[in-house]
């Protein structure tokens, strides 16, 4: 089951980008582990960063909203999934076993963004509160760079798929120019995936 990122930031699904940014700034400073001594401060700080990174970017938010509507809407399949999750989670708690259900998304791009956010948040959590306060402006700027990376990732997927099917057609009909062009497309796709994988390993 996915997390309700809007609820984490204390916002509604209709929140504007400015509202998302303001909520993130306020909560990130409030829940930074160096300042907040609550036992769950570190975990909450990670969630706040993930929520901001996904919801502030328009492309990532559009992908998230589709899954949000499924899990938090009135879909019968989602309701059954939630019920199974509650039963499994209760069993795991009573037997000290880890639940098989995790907060992952169906969309691979969202999973990449989520993991990237968690890695960044861990770094921010290790900073002193003063250092993080000074860096907060740069954190907002970093969102734009991550958005650019996600776009390249998505475009690479489209180019790779087009190149693959084009290559099959070229081989089938013996079209040499099409084969060459397909190989070029596949090379671009591989280069794009290689670039984005390095960026996500910050």
């Amino acid at each position: 089951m996915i997390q309700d990122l809007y609820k984490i930031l204390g916002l509604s699904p209709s929140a504007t980008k400015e509202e998302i940014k303001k909520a993130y700034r306020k909560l990130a400073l409030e829940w930074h582990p160096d300042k907040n001594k609550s036992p769950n401060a570190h975990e909450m700080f990670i969630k706040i960063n993930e929520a901001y990174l996904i919801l502030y970017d328009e492309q990532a938010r559009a992908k998230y909203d589709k899954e949000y509507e499924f899990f938090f809407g009135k879909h019968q399949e989602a309701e059954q999934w939630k019920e199974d999750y509650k039963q499994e989670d209760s069993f795991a708690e009573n037997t000290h076993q880890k639940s098989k259900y995790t907060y992952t998304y169906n969309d691979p791009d969202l999973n990449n963004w989520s993991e990237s956010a968690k890695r960044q948040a861990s770094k921010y959590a290790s900073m002193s509160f003063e250092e993080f306060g000074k860096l907060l402006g740069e954190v907002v700027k970093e969102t734009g760079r991550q958005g650019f990376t996600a776009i390249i990732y998505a475009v690479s997927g489209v180019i790779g798929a087009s190149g693959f099917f084009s290559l099959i057609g070229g081989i089938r009909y013996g079209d040499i120019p099409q084969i060459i062009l397909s190989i070029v497309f596949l090379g671009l796709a591989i280069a794009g995936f290689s670039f984005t994988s390095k960026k996500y390993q910050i």
Side-chain angles (χ1 to χ4, degrees):
M1 183 176 178
I2 68 172
Q3 297 185 87
D4 188 339
L5 302 184
Y6 291 108
K7 185 176 181 180
I8 290 173
L9 294 182
L11 300 170
S12 72
S14 61
T16 65
K17 292 188 70 172
E18 186 62 26
E19 289 173 332
I20 292 171
K21 183 169 65 174
K22 287 182 178 179
Y24 168 69
R25 288 177 179 274
K26 176 178 180 293
L27 292 172
L29 291 173
E30 178 184 343
W31 284 95
H32 189 280
D34 192 35
K35 178 182 180 182
N36 194 312
K37 301 306 179 183
S38 300
N40 63 330
H42 186 272
E43 180 183 358
M44 188 63 189
F45 184 74
I46 299 293
K47 290 181 177 181
I48 291 167
N49 277 271
E50 178 184 358
Y52 169 72
L53 184 58
I54 291 177
L55 296 181
Y56 193 75
D57 180 85
E58 293 180 4
Q59 182 184 14
R61 184 178 181 179
K63 290 176 178 288
Y64 172 79
D65 282 347
K66 290 181 180 180
E67 300 199 21
Y68 177 90
E69 175 60 26
F70 174 79
F71 284 107
F72 297 103
K74 297 185 180 298
H75 297 281
Q76 184 175 359
E77 183 180 348
E79 291 302 318
Q80 182 58 51
W81 199 98
K82 291 176 188 177
E83 187 62 32
D84 291 343
Y85 173 83
K86 290 178 182 177
Q87 293 177 4
E88 179 66 20
D89 194 50
S90 176
F91 171 79
E93 183 177 346
N94 293 334
T95 60
H96 303 287
Q97 294 183 20
K98 185 177 181 180
S99 174
K100 67 180 179 181
Y101 295 108
T102 55
Y103 294 104
T104 55
Y105 304 100
N106 291 323
D107 191 299
D109 291 340
L110 283 176
N111 284 321
N112 283 330
W113 277 69
S114 175
E115 291 305 313
S116 176
K118 291 171 184 174
R119 287 194 294 269
Q120 289 183 24
S122 293
K123 291 182 180 180
Y124 301 149
S126 66
M127 295 179 176
S128 68
F129 180 74
E130 290 73 18
E131 289 175 323
F132 177 71
K134 293 178 181 178
L135 183 66
L136 193 56
E138 293 299 319
V139 174
V140 175
K141 292 179 183 178
E142 178 66 18
T143 307
R145 291 192 285 269
Q146 290 290 349
F148 175 70
T149 301
I151 291 173
I152 293 178
Y153 182 90
V155 171
S156 297
V158 174
I159 292 176
S162 299
F164 175 74
F165 289 112
S166 179
L167 179 61
I168 293 177
I171 293 174
R172 181 177 180 182
Y173 296 105
D175 189 335
I176 302 301
Q178 183 174 337
I179 292 175
I180 295 175
L181 185 60
S182 300
I183 293 174
V184 172
F185 279 170
L186 289 173
L188 290 173
I190 292 172
F193 283 126
S194 177
F195 172 79
T196 53
S197 65
K198 290 179 181 178
K199 290 293 182 181
Y200 281 126
Q201 292 173 1
I202 298 175

